[in-house]
C-alpha cells in the first residue's frame, strides 16, 4: 500500500515494468555514439570502434570567478552541439535530486555563465534549451521563467506560484504516485510553453514532529491528501513567450476530481495531447487541446472494472510516427499489456502485439525499418528477453536475445536500433555486460563476463490449495542436511508497487542481515503472488482490487502451508519480514495467520490503509466514502488482537511517505489487546531509514539480533 523504499536499492533493481540500466546513456544526435562523464569531463565514444573523443574538458567548466570545475550532475546538448546545459549542486525534492544550479557552456566561444543568476542557490528545476537554442526555460520556487541566452534577461512566465500553487512541477502526491516531476514542455517552434498548474491550497497539512534538532520541538508540514480526501486541482496552460499570456485548456470535468497524468505537444505543434484520469482511476481519456483557444476534443476513452494504469511509450508521453499522423500507445484493455497504433484523431486503431504475453517495457521504435523493440517474457514471468515486431501489426514476434542465455536481459538501444548496451544475468550468477550490434546480437565490446554457473539460489514454484501458482526464489543453508529441520525466513512485499522475484543475479538474499545468513542456518524464501506487477496478464495483477491485505496475504499464507509440508522445514521457526508494503504484509501475516508465522519484522508499514495517500490507495481500493469495508478488512490494525508470535515494529518518525502516525495507532491497539511486542523508532528518518550516522548499521544489527533471538538458525 505504498512504495518500496526508494533508496532501499535492491528492491528497485528489477521491478518488472521498469526497464533497468546501469546508466542512462546520452546518444549523439546522429546515433553514431554516446556521451558520458569521466573524471568531470564529457567524453564521446563513437560506435562500433569506441573511438574516444574529449568533448568538454574540466577547465572549460570553471566559472570566471571560480577556482574549480563544476561537478556535473546532468547535462544536455543542443542539437547542433554548440551549447551544453550543465546541471550541478543538486538537492533533493522528496525522492530525487531535481533542483539545483544550471550553467550554460558555449563550446565555440568557450564561455560559461550561470542560468537564473540571482535566484536562490539550488532552486532551479528542469531547465531546458528552447528548440531554436536562443533561450532556456526553468522552474524556480514554483514559477516558470524563460531566460534569453544572449542578453541573460530573465522573464517570469508565471507570477502566482507558491508552495501550494505550483507551476511547472508537482505536489507530493503527483510526484510519489504518478512519478510526475518535470511539469512543462516547449512547443516545437519554441514560441510557447505548455505547463501543469497544481492547486494544492485545499490539501491539509500532515505534521511531522522534530524532537531532536533543537531545544524546543517543531513541526514539519507536508501537504498530504489521505485516502478519501479530495486531490489537488490540476490544469494545463499554454503561455506565449512573447506576451507572457496564458491560455488554459478547457478539459471537461471537475479539476478537483480528475488527474492529468500525461501531456505532450504533437509534432507539428498544432495541438497538445493529454491524458485525464477520473478520481477512481478506472476511466482514462485522451484529449487534443487547441493551444490558441483552449478547446479540448476527446479522441479516446478506456474504462476498467478496477483501474487503468498510466502507460507510456517513452518518458514524457507517446511515441509519434508517420510524420506525426499516428502515435503508439500501451494498453491492457484486452487483458495483456500490448502496443497499439492510433491515428491522432482516434479514428483508427491497430493492435501491434498479439498474444497472451505482456510488454514489460518498450525499448525503442525504429520507424525507418518498421519495428518496435520491447522486453517481454511469454513463457516465464521471472525472466525477460528482447523482442521486435513490425509496426504495421502484421509481423511475427521475433526474439532478439540469445536462446542459450536463460534469465534476465536488459538493453539500451541506440535510437536507430543499430547497436545496444546489453546485460544478462540469472539466478545461477551467470552474467554478461557488453556492447552488441543488435541485429545479429554479436559482441563488439565485452565489459565483463561470468558464464560459469554457481551460487545456491534456486528458482521455485508453489501451487496452493486455491490452485494459484506462485513464482519464488529459495536459498538453503550452507551446509544443508535434508534429514534435518531448518527455520524459514520469508521476505515479502506483495502489493502492486513492486515484485520480489526475478531470475537475475543479486536479486535473492537478505541484505539487512549482518553476517552470513545461510551459514547461520536459515532457509530464505520469497514469493510473488496475485496483485504483484509481474508479466502474467492484467487479471493476475488486478485481482487485488479492493483486496489489498486479503488476497495477497492469503496467497503468501497458502504457499507457506505447502512449504511447511517439506520434511526439512521446522514449522516452529517460521519468520517473515518486509519493508513498506512488505511491512504491512508482514503484520497481516502475523495477525491473520498466527498459526503459521511465529516471528515478524515489519519496517515502515501502514497498519491502517485509511492513513495512506489518496492516489495510491483509491486506485487499488476504491473510494472509502463509497465503501470503507475493504480498507478495514485489509488493514493489519483490524486483526492486531490475533497476534501470538514475536513482533518487531520499526519506523522512522520523519517518514513523509508512510507516516509514523500508523505505528502509534497500532501500538495503542496492541496495548489495548494486551499484546507484547518490541518497537524501534528512528528519529526524523524518512521512509528509507538511512539518514544519519550509523543508522543503516544499527538497523542491520537490530534486524539480525531480533531474528536470531526469536527465530534461532541452524539444523535440528
Amino acid at each position: 500500500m505504498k512504495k518500496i523504499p526508494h533508496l532501499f536499492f535492491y528492491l528497485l533493481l528489477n521491478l518488472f515494468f521498469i526497464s533497468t540500466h546501469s546508466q542512462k546513456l546520452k546518444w549523439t544526435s546522429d546515433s553514431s555514439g554516446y556521451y558520458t562523464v569521466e573524471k568531470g569531463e564529457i567524453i564521446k565514444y563513437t560506435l562500433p570502434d569506441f573511438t574516444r573523443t574529449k568533448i568538454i574538458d574540466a577547465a572549460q567548466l570553471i566559472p570566471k570567478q571560480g577556482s574549480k570545475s563544476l561537478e556535473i550532475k546532468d547535462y544536455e546538448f543542443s542539437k547542433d552541439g554548440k551549447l551544453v546545459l550543465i546541471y550541478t549542486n543538486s538537492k533533493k525534492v522528496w525522492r530525487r535530486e531535481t533542483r539545483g544550479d544550471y550553467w550554460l557552456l558555449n563550446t565555440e566561444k568557450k564561455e560559461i555563465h550561470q542560468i537564473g543568476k540571482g535566484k536562490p542557490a539550488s532552486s532551479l528545476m528542469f531547465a531546458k534549451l528552447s528548440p531554436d537554442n536562443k533561450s532556456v526555460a526553468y522552474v524556480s520556487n514554483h514559477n516558470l521563467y524563460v531566460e534569453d541566452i544572449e542578453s541573460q534577461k530573465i522573464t517570469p512566465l508565471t507570477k502566482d506560484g507558491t508552495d501550494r500553487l505550483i507551476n511547472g512541477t508537482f505536489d507530493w502526491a503527483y510526484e510519489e504516485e504518478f512519478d510526475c516531476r518535470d511539469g512543462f514542455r516547449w512547443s516545437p517552434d519554441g514560441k510557447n510553453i505548455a505547463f501543469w498548474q497544481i492547486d494544492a491550497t485545499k490539501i491539509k497539512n500532515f505534521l511531522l514532529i522534530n524532537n531532536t534538532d533543537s531545544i524546543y520541538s517543531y513541526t514539519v508540514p507536508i501537504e498530504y491528501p489521505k485516502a478519501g480526501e479530495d486531490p489537488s486541482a490540476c490544469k494545463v496552460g499554454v503561455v506565449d513567450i512573447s506576451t507572457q499570456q496564458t491560455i488554459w485548456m478547457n478539459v471537461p470535468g471537475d479539476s478537483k476530481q480528475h488527474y492529468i497524468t500525461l501531456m505532450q505537444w504533437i509534432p507539428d505543434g498544432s495541438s497538445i495531447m493529454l491524458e485525464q484520469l477520473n478520481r477512481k482511476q478506472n476511466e482514462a481519456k485522451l484529449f487534443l487541446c487547441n493551444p490558441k483557444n483552449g478547446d479540448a476534443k476527446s479522441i479516446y476513452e478506456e474504462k476498467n472494472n478496477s483501474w487503468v494504469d498510466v502507460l507510456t511509450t517513452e518518458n514524457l508521453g507517446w511515441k509519434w510516427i508517420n510524420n506525426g499522423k499516428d502515435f503508439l500507445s500501451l494498453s491492457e484493455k484486452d487483458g495483456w499489456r500490448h502496443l497499439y497504433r492510433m491515428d491522432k484523431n482516434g479514428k483508427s486503431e491497430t493492435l501491434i502485439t498479439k498474444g497472451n504475453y505482456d510488454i514489460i517495457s518498450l525499448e525503442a521504435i525504429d520507424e525507418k525499418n518498421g519495428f518496435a523493440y520491447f522486453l517481454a517474457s511469454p513463457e516465464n514471468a521471472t525472466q525477460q528477453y528482447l523482442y521486435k515486431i513490425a509496426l504495421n501489426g502484421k509481423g511475427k514476434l521475433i526474439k532478439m536475445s540469445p536462446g542459450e542465455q536463460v534469465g534476465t536481459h536488459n538493453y539500451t538501444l541506440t535510437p536507430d536500433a543499430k547497436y545496444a548496451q546489453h546485460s544478462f544475468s540469472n539466478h545461477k550468477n551467470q552474467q554478461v555486460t557488453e556492447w552488441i550490434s543488435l541485429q545479429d546480437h554479436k559482441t563488439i565490446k565485452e565489459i565483463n563476463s561470468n558464464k560459469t554457473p554457481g551460487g545456491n539460489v534456486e528458482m521455485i514454484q508453489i501451487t496452493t490449495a486455491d490452485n494459484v501458482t506462485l513464482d519464488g526464489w529459495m536459498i538453503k543453508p550452507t551446509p544443508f542436511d535434508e534429514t534435518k529441520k531448518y527455520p524459514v525466513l520469508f521476505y515479502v512485499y506483495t502489493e502492486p508497487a513492486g515484485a520480489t522475484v526475478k531470475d537475475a543475479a543479486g536479486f535473492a538474499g537478505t541484505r539487512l542481515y549482518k553476517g552470513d545468513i545461510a551459514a547461520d542456518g536459515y532457509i530464505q524464501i520469497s514469493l510473488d503472488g496475485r496483485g504483484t506487477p509481474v508479466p502474467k496478464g492484467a487479471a493476475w495483477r488486478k485481482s487485488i482490487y479492493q483486496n489489498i491485505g486479503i488476497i495477497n496475504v492469503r496467497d503468501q499464507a497458502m504457499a507457506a502451508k505447502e512449504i511447511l509440508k517439506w520434511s526439512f522445514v521446522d514449522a516452529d521457526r517460521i519468520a517473515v519480514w518486509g519493508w513498506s508494503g512488505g511491512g504491512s504484509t508482514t503484520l497481516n501475516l502475523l495477525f491473520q495467520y498466527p498459526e503459521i508465522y511465529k516471528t515478524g519484522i515489519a519496517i515502515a508499514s501502514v497498519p491502517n490503509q485509511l492513513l495512506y495517500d489518496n492516489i495510491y490507495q483509491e486506485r487499488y481500493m476504491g473510494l472509502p466514502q463509497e465503501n470503507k469495508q475493504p480498507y478495514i478488512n485489509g488493514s493489519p490494525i483490524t486483526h492486531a488482537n490475533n497476534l501470538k508470535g514475536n513482533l518487531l515494529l520499526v519506523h522512522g518518525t520523519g517518514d513523509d511517505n508512510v507516516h509514523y502516525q500508523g505505528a502509534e495507532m497500532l501500538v495503542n491497539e496492541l496495548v489495548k489487546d494486551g499484546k507484547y511486542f518490541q518497537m524501534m523508532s528512528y528519529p526524523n528518518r524518512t521512509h528509507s531509514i538511512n539518514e544519519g550516522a550509523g543508522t543503516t548499521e544499527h538497523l542491520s544489527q537490530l534486524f539480525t539480533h531480533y531474528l536470531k533471538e526469536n527465530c534461532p538458525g541452524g539444523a535440528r
Side-chain angles (χ1 to χ4, degrees):
M1 60 204 60
K2 43 266 71 179
K3 294 295 183 296
I4 297 173
H6 294 264
L7 297 177
F8 205 44
F9 74 95
Y10 64 89
L11 300 183
L12 282 178
L13 284 175
N14 289 288
L15 295 186
F16 282 96
F17 293 115
I18 297 176
S19 177
T20 56
H21 306 294
S22 59
Q23 179 184 4
K24 184 179 179 181
L25 293 171
K26 294 182 182 293
W27 304 111
T28 59
S29 58
D30 61 0
S31 299
S32 65
Y34 64 94
Y35 300 104
T36 188
V37 176
E38 296 178 3
K39 297 180 180 179
E41 300 178 321
I42 298 179
I43 307 298
K44 182 178 78 170
Y45 287 94
T46 303
L47 301 173
D49 298 325
F50 294 89
T51 305
R52 186 180 188 273
T53 307
K54 184 185 293 186
I55 303 299
I56 297 171
D57 63 38
Q60 293 175 273
L61 300 178
I62 301 175
K64 280 186 178 180
Q65 280 73 42
S67 58
K68 62 179 184 178
S69 299
L70 299 172
E71 183 178 339
I72 303 172
K73 177 68 176 180
D74 200 359
Y75 56 98
E76 176 196 356
F77 280 91
S78 60
K79 289 184 178 179
D80 61 10
K82 297 177 181 178
L83 300 175
V84 189
L85 195 59
I86 305 293
Y87 176 48
T88 188
N89 198 25
S90 61
K91 306 294 180 184
K92 262 190 183 182
V93 177
W94 306 121
R95 302 285 165 262
R96 300 182 191 169
E97 296 179 2
T98 52
R99 63 181 177 89
D101 296 329
Y102 285 86
W103 295 73
L104 189 68
L105 172 67
N106 187 313
T107 59
E108 288 188 324
K109 297 180 180 180
K110 301 187 183 304
E111 295 177 350
I112 188 169
H113 73 268
Q114 187 171 7
I115 298 297
K117 194 172 183 179
K119 299 294 180 190
S122 296
S123 73
L124 270 62
M125 304 177 71
F126 314 116
K128 303 184 190 75
L129 289 162
S130 62
D132 60 8
N133 298 327
K134 293 182 179 179
S135 56
V136 177
Y138 52 84
V139 170
S140 179
N141 290 337
H142 300 124
N143 276 312
L144 188 61
Y145 296 87
V146 66
E147 181 170 334
D148 181 77
I149 291 174
E150 188 66 29
S151 67
Q152 299 182 31
K153 178 184 176 182
I154 300 172
T155 303
L157 300 179
T158 66
K159 298 179 180 179
D160 55 357
T162 67
D163 61 346
R164 292 306 186 88
L165 191 66
I166 303 167
N167 296 297
T169 183
F170 297 89
D171 64 355
W172 185 96
Y174 261 83
E175 175 173 324
E176 179 69 22
E177 303 303 353
F178 291 131
D179 202 27
C180 289
R181 289 172 173 82
D182 177 356
F184 69 92
R185 313 279 184 264
W186 277 105
S187 63
D189 62 6
K191 295 180 179 179
N192 299 278
I193 291 177
F195 67 98
W196 274 268
Q197 184 184 80
I198 305 294
D199 184 353
T201 55
K202 303 297 183 183
I203 302 299
K204 297 176 184 176
N205 275 336
F206 186 84
L207 301 179
L208 306 178
I209 187 165
N210 186 319
N211 282 312
T212 63
D213 290 348
S214 64
I215 297 299
Y216 286 91
S217 63
Y218 60 91
T219 57
V220 180
I222 308 291
E223 73 270 10
Y224 191 103
K226 302 245 180 194
E229 296 286 324
D230 286 347
S232 301
C234 177
K235 58 183 179 180
V236 168
V238 175
V239 59
D240 186 301
I241 302 300
S242 61
T243 66
Q244 295 90 59
Q245 297 300 305
T246 298
I247 302 294
W248 297 103
M249 303 301 100
N250 297 317
V251 182
D254 184 347
S255 65
K256 296 189 291 295
Q257 297 298 318
H258 289 84
Y259 303 104
I260 297 175
T261 54
L262 299 170
M263 179 265 288
Q264 186 185 64
W265 289 90
I266 68 171
D268 65 8
S270 63
S271 301
I272 292 167
M273 190 156 83
L274 59 82
E275 179 183 65
Q276 180 200 61
L277 287 181
N278 65 332
R279 179 171 172 180
K280 292 183 182 180
Q281 301 175 61
N282 58 7
E283 295 181 6
K285 295 180 180 179
L286 298 186
F287 290 92
L288 280 183
C289 301
N290 187 324
K292 295 180 179 179
N293 58 25
D295 287 348
K297 172 189 173 185
S298 176
I299 64 166
Y300 176 79
E301 183 174 343
E302 184 175 330
K303 297 182 179 181
N304 196 284
N305 291 330
S306 52
W307 70 88
V308 177
D309 278 310
V310 178
L311 303 173
T312 63
T313 57
E314 55 183 25
N315 291 337
L316 299 181
W318 303 270
K319 178 65 179 179
W320 294 85
I321 58 175
N322 191 23
N323 295 317
K325 297 176 183 177
D326 300 331
F327 65 94
L328 301 176
S329 179
L330 291 165
S331 173
E332 296 181 344
K333 60 187 175 182
D334 76 344
W336 299 88
R337 182 166 293 184
H338 282 315
L339 183 65
Y340 292 81
R341 176 175 181 159
M342 303 177 66
D343 80 282
K344 70 177 183 180
N345 295 308
K347 293 181 179 179
S348 68
E349 177 183 274
T350 301
L351 174 62
I352 295 176
T353 54
K354 305 177 181 72
N356 294 342
Y357 66 90
D358 288 304
I359 288 181
I360 294 174
S361 65
L362 192 65
E363 296 298 300
I365 301 297
D366 176 13
E367 188 177 5
K368 179 180 178 181
N369 294 300
F371 286 101
Y373 293 82
F374 56 90
L375 296 175
S377 190
E379 297 174 356
N380 186 324
T382 71
Q383 300 170 353
Q384 64 184 34
Y385 303 92
L386 185 68
Y387 292 84
K388 72 175 182 180
I389 199 164
L391 287 171
N392 60 14
K394 297 179 181 179
K396 294 181 179 180
L397 190 63
I398 301 171
K399 187 176 182 179
M400 304 294 291
S401 301
E404 68 274 12
Q405 292 181 344
V406 179
T408 295
H409 295 258
N410 280 301
Y411 295 80
T412 302
L413 278 64
T414 54
D416 60 5
K418 189 175 181 180
Y419 302 103
Q421 188 183 60
H422 166 240
S423 65
F424 158 76
S425 74
N426 59 26
H427 72 281
K428 298 176 182 178
N429 209 35
Q430 294 176 298
Q431 300 183 56
V432 174
T433 304
E434 62 185 353
W435 281 89
I436 60 170
S437 54
L438 185 63
Q439 298 310 313
D440 56 8
H441 214 284
K442 297 295 184 183
T443 303
I444 58 174
K445 182 181 180 181
E446 185 174 273
I447 299 171
N448 61 62
S449 175
N450 172 34
K451 298 179 181 178
T452 304
N456 57 349
V457 178
E458 301 176 35
M459 301 304 292
I460 61 174
Q461 285 189 325
I462 305 295
T463 300
T464 71
D466 300 326
N467 199 31
V468 176
T469 299
L470 286 69
D471 290 307
W473 55 257
M474 174 172 64
I475 303 175
K476 290 177 181 175
T478 52
F480 176 72
D481 184 345
E482 63 180 10
T483 67
K484 304 288 187 180
K485 290 185 179 294
Y486 297 87
V488 177
L489 175 63
F490 287 99
Y491 168 57
V492 294
Y493 185 76
T494 81
E495 293 197 7
T500 62
V501 178
K502 199 158 194 176
D503 187 356
F507 210 78
T510 308
R511 289 155 183 82
L512 261 187
Y513 191 87
K514 185 71 173 179
D516 188 335
I517 188 171
D520 287 344
Y522 290 91
I523 300 170
Q524 304 163 71
I525 295 176
S526 191
L527 301 159
D528 278 336
R530 287 173 292 176
T532 51
V534 297
K536 290 186 174 183
W540 173 276
R541 296 186 289 274
K542 295 183 176 180
S543 61
I544 203 170
Y545 183 66
Q546 294 193 327
N547 273 302
I548 290 180
I550 302 297
I551 194 171
N552 55 325
V553 170
R554 178 174 173 81
D555 278 357
Q556 293 292 319
M558 293 302 100
K561 281 189 174 182
E562 298 301 317
I563 289 169
L564 288 178
K565 297 176 184 178
W566 297 351
S567 62
F568 52 82
V569 168
D570 187 345
D572 293 326
R573 290 183 292 165
I574 303 297
V576 58
W577 82 280
W579 196 307
S580 194
S584 308
T585 301
T586 297
L587 293 174
N588 264 321
L589 290 170
L590 278 178
F591 299 163
Q592 293 186 42
Y593 298 93
E595 73 280 8
I596 299 175
Y597 301 93
K598 313 302 184 185
T599 297
I601 302 173
I603 305 174
S605 61
V606 172
N608 184 343
Q609 294 186 37
L610 291 168
L611 302 180
Y612 199 57
D613 78 70
N614 54 2
I615 296 179
Y616 183 96
Q617 213 65 58
E618 293 175 6
R619 178 191 304 153
Y620 303 125
M621 297 296 282
L623 304 185
Q625 55 266 47
E626 293 182 357
N627 185 4
K628 191 181 289 187
Q629 201 58 45
Y631 285 79
I632 296 171
N633 294 345
S635 290
I637 199 168
T638 302
H639 312 282
N641 63 343
N642 295 323
L643 176 64
K644 293 180 181 178
N646 310 298
L647 168 62
L648 173 61
L649 191 65
V650 180
H651 216 109
T653 69
D655 192 335
D656 61 273
N657 183 4
V658 178
H659 301 148
Y660 183 65
Q661 170 192 34
E664 292 201 331
M665 286 186 175
L666 180 59
V667 167
N668 278 340
E669 192 68 20
L670 291 167
V671 169
K672 182 191 75 174
D673 295 331
K675 301 298 181 180
Y676 177 76
F677 62 97
Q678 293 187 31
M679 181 179 180
M680 179 65 199
S681 63
Y682 286 92
N684 304 324
R685 272 62 165 193
T686 65
H687 197 51
S688 56
I689 315 183
N690 68 343
E691 301 84 4
T695 300
T696 299
E697 174 69 16
H698 188 278
L699 178 56
S700 178
Q701 293 279 12
L702 175 70
F703 177 95
T704 306
H705 177 77
Y706 191 82
L707 181 65
K708 285 182 174 180
E709 186 177 72
N710 293 281
C711 182
R716 288 181 182 175

